[in-house]
Amino acid sequence: MMKVVGCSCLLLAGILGGQEIGRMLKLRRREQEQWFQKILLLKGEIQYGQTSLPELCQKLGQKNGTRVDTFFYCMGERLYVSRGEVPFYAIWQEEIQPLVQELRLEQEPLLQLGSYLGSLNRQTEIGNLERYIEILRRQLKGEQEDFENRLKMVQALSLSAGMVLAILLL
């Protein structure tokens, strides 16, 4: 009787573990899509609005408290506090590192984007944002194809691991 309960617990743990990993993958995917939307908004504001970067970053960071929102809000705060004493690129480099790792974004294009934002030439900013948007669009499209397969694989492997452990217990 105890073995049956133990096996059931192992199977349940495998299933729930797979679902939790799947939930985390879905959350990261949603945040990547949110990053894409924020970059589009950033481009629109730079192109058509007359908002300063600190105000713009804070405006982009006031939605619903995700990692992307927190990034933009912290950027805005640090830009206000520095008042131009610290270059935009230096703040960008420090703040972008955790986001790159958490969302698994390509680091080099993001660092290049940060080097052009905050420049005096709006056309240069817009051109670089458009290039980054295209890079990001390709990256997200490639990951969308892999995402569904990865999700199914993780759930199947976790169930299989639970089954193997249950069989070993018997």
Side-chain angles (χ1 to χ4, degrees):
M1 180 66 175
M2 291 301 279
K3 284 187 177 185
V4 173
V5 172
C7 290
S8 299
C9 287
L10 288 172
L11 285 173
L12 185 62
I15 291 169
L16 293 177
Q19 288 185 350
E20 177 62 19
I21 293 171
R23 186 192 65 77
M24 290 176 2
L25 288 173
K26 288 177 185 176
L27 177 64
R28 185 174 64 215
R29 179 71 186 160
R30 263 193 309 259
E31 286 179 333
Q32 287 174 337
E33 290 169 357
Q34 184 188 20
W35 175 254
F36 182 71
Q37 294 300 319
K38 296 284 182 172
I39 294 296
L40 289 175
L41 288 171
L42 180 67
K43 178 188 170 254
E45 277 294 325
I46 289 174
Q47 192 168 13
Y48 300 112
Q50 299 299 319
T51 311
S52 68
L53 270 177
E55 290 177 53
L56 181 55
C57 286
Q58 283 189 325
K59 181 179 175 183
L60 289 174
Q62 293 180 342
K63 290 288 179 189
N64 48 0
T66 63
R67 289 183 258 200
V68 175
D69 291 332
T70 303
F71 164 77
F72 278 109
Y73 189 78
C74 289
M75 280 292 298
E77 284 293 312
R78 289 197 56 198
L79 288 170
Y80 269 125
V81 169
S82 73
R83 299 177 192 221
E85 294 172 7
V86 179
F88 176 84
Y89 183 63
I91 296 172
W92 178 268
Q93 275 185 310
E94 290 175 22
E95 293 291 332
I96 202 72
Q97 292 302 327
L99 194 67
V100 166
Q101 293 170 353
E102 292 169 0
L103 299 184
R104 297 201 179 153
L105 298 169
E106 292 180 28
Q107 183 173 359
E108 190 60 36
L110 267 173
L111 293 176
Q112 287 177 354
L113 176 65
S115 69
Y116 291 108
L117 288 177
S119 67
L120 298 177
N121 187 347
R122 284 191 189 274
Q123 295 305 319
T124 302
E125 288 178 332
I126 293 167
N128 283 299
L129 275 166
E130 287 173 351
R131 277 192 287 281
Y132 179 68
I133 287 169
E134 190 57 37
I135 290 169
L136 189 57
R137 186 174 281 137
R138 277 183 286 181
Q139 180 185 357
L140 292 178
K141 184 179 179 183
E143 286 186 10
Q144 177 62 31
E145 296 167 359
D146 293 339
F147 171 74
E148 294 170 6
N149 292 333
R150 187 177 301 140
L151 185 61
K152 289 177 185 176
M153 180 187 69
V154 163
Q155 289 174 342
L157 283 175
S158 63
L159 175 62
S160 299
M163 290 172 55
V164 166
L165 290 173
I167 290 170
L168 288 175
L169 181 65
L170 289 176

PDB file of all heavy atoms in Angstrom, residues 94-114:
ATOM      1  N   GLU A  94      24.480  48.462 -17.334  1.00  0.00           N
ATOM      2  CA  GLU A  94      24.270  47.879 -16.004  1.00  0.00           C
ATOM      3  C   GLU A  94      22.864  47.305 -15.852  1.00  0.00           C
ATOM      4  O   GLU A  94      22.685  46.235 -15.282  1.00  0.00           O
ATOM      5  CB  GLU A  94      24.504  48.937 -14.929  1.00  0.00           C
ATOM      6  CG  GLU A  94      25.947  49.349 -14.786  1.00  0.00           C
ATOM      7  CD  GLU A  94      26.117  50.483 -13.786  1.00  0.00           C
ATOM      8  OE1 GLU A  94      25.228  50.666 -12.934  1.00  0.00           O
ATOM      9  OE2 GLU A  94      27.131  51.196 -13.886  1.00  0.00           O
ATOM     10  N   GLU A  95      21.884  48.023 -16.342  1.00  0.00           N
ATOM     11  CA  GLU A  95      20.491  47.600 -16.147  1.00  0.00           C
ATOM     12  C   GLU A  95      20.072  46.475 -17.087  1.00  0.00           C
ATOM     13  O   GLU A  95      19.195  45.688 -16.752  1.00  0.00           O
ATOM     14  CB  GLU A  95      19.543  48.801 -16.326  1.00  0.00           C
ATOM     15  CG  GLU A  95      19.672  49.857 -15.262  1.00  0.00           C
ATOM     16  CD  GLU A  95      19.187  49.412 -13.894  1.00  0.00           C
ATOM     17  OE1 GLU A  95      18.296  48.544 -13.813  1.00  0.00           O
ATOM     18  OE2 GLU A  95      19.709  49.941 -12.903  1.00  0.00           O
ATOM     19  N   ILE A  96      20.689  46.401 -18.263  1.00  0.00           N
ATOM     20  CA  ILE A  96      20.242  45.435 -19.271  1.00  0.00           C
ATOM     21  C   ILE A  96      20.762  44.026 -18.997  1.00  0.00           C
ATOM     22  O   ILE A  96      20.146  43.045 -19.416  1.00  0.00           O
ATOM     23  CB  ILE A  96      20.627  45.910 -20.696  1.00  0.00           C
ATOM     24  CG1 ILE A  96      19.734  45.255 -21.749  1.00  0.00           C
ATOM     25  CG2 ILE A  96      22.073  45.587 -21.026  1.00  0.00           C
ATOM     26  CD1 ILE A  96      18.359  45.751 -21.783  1.00  0.00           C
ATOM     27  N   GLN A  97      21.867  43.879 -18.289  1.00  0.00           N
ATOM     28  CA  GLN A  97      22.477  42.562 -18.069  1.00  0.00           C
ATOM     29  C   GLN A  97      21.511  41.546 -17.451  1.00  0.00           C
ATOM     30  O   GLN A  97      21.377  40.436 -17.984  1.00  0.00           O
ATOM     31  CB  GLN A  97      23.750  42.692 -17.222  1.00  0.00           C
ATOM     32  CG  GLN A  97      24.890  43.388 -17.913  1.00  0.00           C
ATOM     33  CD  GLN A  97      25.305  42.718 -19.206  1.00  0.00           C
ATOM     34  OE1 GLN A  97      25.239  41.504 -19.353  1.00  0.00           O
ATOM     35  NE2 GLN A  97      25.714  43.527 -20.161  1.00  0.00           N
ATOM     36  N   PRO A  98      20.848  41.865 -16.336  1.00  0.00           N
ATOM     37  CA  PRO A  98      19.924  40.857 -15.773  1.00  0.00           C
ATOM     38  C   PRO A  98      18.775  40.515 -16.716  1.00  0.00           C
ATOM     39  O   PRO A  98      18.363  39.357 -16.798  1.00  0.00           O
ATOM     40  CB  PRO A  98      19.398  41.522 -14.499  1.00  0.00           C
ATOM     41  CG  PRO A  98      20.309  42.659 -14.214  1.00  0.00           C
ATOM     42  CD  PRO A  98      20.937  43.047 -15.502  1.00  0.00           C
ATOM     43  N   LEU A  99      18.281  41.515 -17.444  1.00  0.00           N
ATOM     44  CA  LEU A  99      17.165  41.276 -18.349  1.00  0.00           C
ATOM     45  C   LEU A  99      17.564  40.368 -19.506  1.00  0.00           C
ATOM     46  O   LEU A  99      16.802  39.497 -19.906  1.00  0.00           O
ATOM     47  CB  LEU A  99      16.638  42.618 -18.879  1.00  0.00           C
ATOM     48  CG  LEU A  99      15.284  42.571 -19.553  1.00  0.00           C
ATOM     49  CD1 LEU A  99      14.204  42.234 -18.536  1.00  0.00           C
ATOM     50  CD2 LEU A  99      14.981  43.890 -20.225  1.00  0.00           C
ATOM     51  N   VAL A 100      18.764  40.551 -20.017  1.00  0.00           N
ATOM     52  CA  VAL A 100      19.270  39.705 -21.109  1.00  0.00           C
ATOM     53  C   VAL A 100      19.311  38.249 -20.660  1.00  0.00           C
ATOM     54  O   VAL A 100      18.895  37.344 -21.384  1.00  0.00           O
ATOM     55  CB  VAL A 100      20.671  40.177 -21.565  1.00  0.00           C
ATOM     56  CG1 VAL A 100      21.348  39.146 -22.441  1.00  0.00           C
ATOM     57  CG2 VAL A 100      20.573  41.499 -22.291  1.00  0.00           C
ATOM     58  N   GLN A 101      19.780  38.022 -19.445  1.00  0.00           N
ATOM     59  CA  GLN A 101      19.889  36.652 -18.941  1.00  0.00           C
ATOM     60  C   GLN A 101      18.520  36.052 -18.650  1.00  0.00           C
ATOM     61  O   GLN A 101      18.268  34.888 -18.957  1.00  0.00           O
ATOM     62  CB  GLN A 101      20.757  36.631 -17.694  1.00  0.00           C
ATOM     63  CG  GLN A 101      22.197  36.979 -17.983  1.00  0.00           C
ATOM     64  CD  GLN A 101      23.018  37.189 -16.724  1.00  0.00           C
ATOM     65  OE1 GLN A 101      22.486  37.191 -15.629  1.00  0.00           O
ATOM     66  NE2 GLN A 101      24.316  37.376 -16.900  1.00  0.00           N
ATOM     67  N   GLU A 102      17.626  36.833 -18.074  1.00  0.00           N
ATOM     68  CA  GLU A 102      16.315  36.300 -17.713  1.00  0.00           C
ATOM     69  C   GLU A 102      15.444  36.022 -18.927  1.00  0.00           C
ATOM     70  O   GLU A 102      14.726  35.029 -18.972  1.00  0.00           O
ATOM     71  CB  GLU A 102      15.600  37.272 -16.778  1.00  0.00           C
ATOM     72  CG  GLU A 102      16.258  37.380 -15.417  1.00  0.00           C
ATOM     73  CD  GLU A 102      15.719  38.528 -14.589  1.00  0.00           C
ATOM     74  OE1 GLU A 102      14.824  39.250 -15.070  1.00  0.00           O
ATOM     75  OE2 GLU A 102      16.199  38.698 -13.464  1.00  0.00           O
ATOM     76  N   LEU A 103      15.495  36.907 -19.924  1.00  0.00           N
ATOM     77  CA  LEU A 103      14.648  36.741 -21.101  1.00  0.00           C
ATOM     78  C   LEU A 103      15.351  36.038 -22.254  1.00  0.00           C
ATOM     79  O   LEU A 103      14.747  35.786 -23.289  1.00  0.00           O
ATOM     80  CB  LEU A 103      14.143  38.106 -21.587  1.00  0.00           C
ATOM     81  CG  LEU A 103      13.296  38.899 -20.608  1.00  0.00           C
ATOM     82  CD1 LEU A 103      12.786  40.170 -21.265  1.00  0.00           C
ATOM     83  CD2 LEU A 103      12.140  38.078 -20.079  1.00  0.00           C
ATOM     84  N   ARG A 104      16.648  35.775 -22.063  1.00  0.00           N
ATOM     85  CA  ARG A 104      17.464  35.119 -23.086  1.00  0.00           C
ATOM     86  C   ARG A 104      17.402  35.867 -24.416  1.00  0.00           C
ATOM     87  O   ARG A 104      17.081  35.293 -25.462  1.00  0.00           O
ATOM     88  CB  ARG A 104      17.052  33.667 -23.249  1.00  0.00           C
ATOM     89  CG  ARG A 104      17.296  32.895 -21.977  1.00  0.00           C
ATOM     90  CD  ARG A 104      17.386  31.449 -22.198  1.00  0.00           C
ATOM     91  NE  ARG A 104      17.648  30.807 -20.920  1.00  0.00           N
ATOM     92  CZ  ARG A 104      17.307  29.591 -20.627  1.00  0.00           C
ATOM     93  NH1 ARG A 104      16.713  28.859 -21.520  1.00  0.00           N
ATOM     94  NH2 ARG A 104      17.579  29.084 -19.454  1.00  0.00           N
ATOM     95  N   LEU A 105      17.709  37.149 -24.333  1.00  0.00           N
ATOM     96  CA  LEU A 105      17.782  37.988 -25.523  1.00  0.00           C
ATOM     97  C   LEU A 105      19.229  38.032 -26.004  1.00  0.00           C
ATOM     98  O   LEU A 105      20.143  37.789 -25.227  1.00  0.00           O
ATOM     99  CB  LEU A 105      17.309  39.406 -25.188  1.00  0.00           C
ATOM    100  CG  LEU A 105      15.868  39.538 -24.710  1.00  0.00           C
ATOM    101  CD1 LEU A 105      15.623  40.926 -24.152  1.00  0.00           C
ATOM    102  CD2 LEU A 105      14.895  39.237 -25.834  1.00  0.00           C
ATOM    103  N   GLU A 106      19.416  38.362 -27.267  1.00  0.00           N
ATOM    104  CA  GLU A 106      20.767  38.489 -27.796  1.00  0.00           C
ATOM    105  C   GLU A 106      21.400  39.742 -27.209  1.00  0.00           C
ATOM    106  O   GLU A 106      20.842  40.832 -27.299  1.00  0.00           O
ATOM    107  CB  GLU A 106      20.738  38.562 -29.319  1.00  0.00           C
ATOM    108  CG  GLU A 106      20.297  37.265 -29.976  1.00  0.00           C
ATOM    109  CD  GLU A 106      20.286  37.369 -31.481  1.00  0.00           C
ATOM    110  OE1 GLU A 106      21.065  38.162 -32.040  1.00  0.00           O
ATOM    111  OE2 GLU A 106      19.499  36.647 -32.089  1.00  0.00           O
ATOM    112  N   GLN A 107      22.562  39.604 -26.631  1.00  0.00           N
ATOM    113  CA  GLN A 107      23.180  40.695 -25.891  1.00  0.00           C
ATOM    114  C   GLN A 107      23.806  41.756 -26.789  1.00  0.00           C
ATOM    115  O   GLN A 107      23.639  42.951 -26.543  1.00  0.00           O
ATOM    116  CB  GLN A 107      24.247  40.135 -24.944  1.00  0.00           C
ATOM    117  CG  GLN A 107      24.887  41.191 -24.087  1.00  0.00           C
ATOM    118  CD  GLN A 107      25.806  40.586 -23.047  1.00  0.00           C
ATOM    119  OE1 GLN A 107      25.948  39.385 -22.953  1.00  0.00           O
ATOM    120  NE2 GLN A 107      26.414  41.439 -22.266  1.00  0.00           N
ATOM    121  N   GLU A 108      24.508  41.348 -27.819  1.00  0.00           N
ATOM    122  CA  GLU A 108      25.249  42.308 -28.642  1.00  0.00           C
ATOM    123  C   GLU A 108      24.353  43.368 -29.292  1.00  0.00           C
ATOM    124  O   GLU A 108      24.655  44.558 -29.215  1.00  0.00           O
ATOM    125  CB  GLU A 108      26.072  41.559 -29.696  1.00  0.00           C
ATOM    126  CG  GLU A 108      27.051  42.429 -30.433  1.00  0.00           C
ATOM    127  CD  GLU A 108      28.077  43.084 -29.513  1.00  0.00           C
ATOM    128  OE1 GLU A 108      28.499  42.463 -28.528  1.00  0.00           O
ATOM    129  OE2 GLU A 108      28.445  44.235 -29.797  1.00  0.00           O
ATOM    130  N   PRO A 109      23.226  42.977 -29.934  1.00  0.00           N
ATOM    131  CA  PRO A 109      22.366  44.020 -30.513  1.00  0.00           C
ATOM    132  C   PRO A 109      21.799  44.977 -29.458  1.00  0.00           C
ATOM    133  O   PRO A 109      21.646  46.162 -29.721  1.00  0.00           O
ATOM    134  CB  PRO A 109      21.238  43.237 -31.189  1.00  0.00           C
ATOM    135  CG  PRO A 109      21.763  41.879 -31.388  1.00  0.00           C
ATOM    136  CD  PRO A 109      22.754  41.640 -30.291  1.00  0.00           C
ATOM    137  N   LEU A 110      21.526  44.456 -28.277  1.00  0.00           N
ATOM    138  CA  LEU A 110      21.005  45.317 -27.203  1.00  0.00           C
ATOM    139  C   LEU A 110      22.039  46.328 -26.743  1.00  0.00           C
ATOM    140  O   LEU A 110      21.718  47.482 -26.482  1.00  0.00           O
ATOM    141  CB  LEU A 110      20.567  44.465 -26.004  1.00  0.00           C
ATOM    142  CG  LEU A 110      19.116  44.078 -25.988  1.00  0.00           C
ATOM    143  CD1 LEU A 110      18.850  43.108 -24.856  1.00  0.00           C
ATOM    144  CD2 LEU A 110      18.222  45.265 -25.889  1.00  0.00           C
ATOM    145  N   LEU A 111      23.283  45.901 -26.625  1.00  0.00           N
ATOM    146  CA  LEU A 111      24.335  46.825 -26.228  1.00  0.00           C
ATOM    147  C   LEU A 111      24.560  47.884 -27.303  1.00  0.00           C
ATOM    148  O   LEU A 111      24.770  49.061 -26.987  1.00  0.00           O
ATOM    149  CB  LEU A 111      25.621  46.073 -25.920  1.00  0.00           C
ATOM    150  CG  LEU A 111      25.578  45.173 -24.682  1.00  0.00           C
ATOM    151  CD1 LEU A 111      26.883  44.407 -24.538  1.00  0.00           C
ATOM    152  CD2 LEU A 111      25.280  45.969 -23.434  1.00  0.00           C
ATOM    153  N   GLN A 112      24.493  47.481 -28.569  1.00  0.00           N
ATOM    154  CA  GLN A 112      24.625  48.452 -29.651  1.00  0.00           C
ATOM    155  C   GLN A 112      23.469  49.444 -29.633  1.00  0.00           C
ATOM    156  O   GLN A 112      23.666  50.643 -29.844  1.00  0.00           O
ATOM    157  CB  GLN A 112      24.677  47.739 -31.001  1.00  0.00           C
ATOM    158  CG  GLN A 112      25.974  47.018 -31.254  1.00  0.00           C
ATOM    159  CD  GLN A 112      25.957  46.269 -32.571  1.00  0.00           C
ATOM    160  OE1 GLN A 112      24.947  46.194 -33.256  1.00  0.00           O
ATOM    161  NE2 GLN A 112      27.101  45.697 -32.918  1.00  0.00           N
ATOM    162  N   LEU A 113      22.271  48.945 -29.373  1.00  0.00           N
ATOM    163  CA  LEU A 113      21.110  49.835 -29.290  1.00  0.00           C
ATOM    164  C   LEU A 113      21.304  50.865 -28.190  1.00  0.00           C
ATOM    165  O   LEU A 113      21.053  52.052 -28.382  1.00  0.00           O
ATOM    166  CB  LEU A 113      19.838  49.014 -29.035  1.00  0.00           C
ATOM    167  CG  LEU A 113      18.552  49.810 -28.827  1.00  0.00           C
ATOM    168  CD1 LEU A 113      18.184  50.554 -30.104  1.00  0.00           C
ATOM    169  CD2 LEU A 113      17.433  48.891 -28.401  1.00  0.00           C
ATOM    170  N   GLY A 114      21.778  50.422 -27.042  1.00  0.00           N
ATOM    171  CA  GLY A 114      22.006  51.337 -25.925  1.00  0.00           C
ATOM    172  C   GLY A 114      23.047  52.398 -26.222  1.00  0.00           C
ATOM    173  O   GLY A 114      22.993  53.502 -25.698  1.00  0.00           O
TER     174      GLY A 114
END
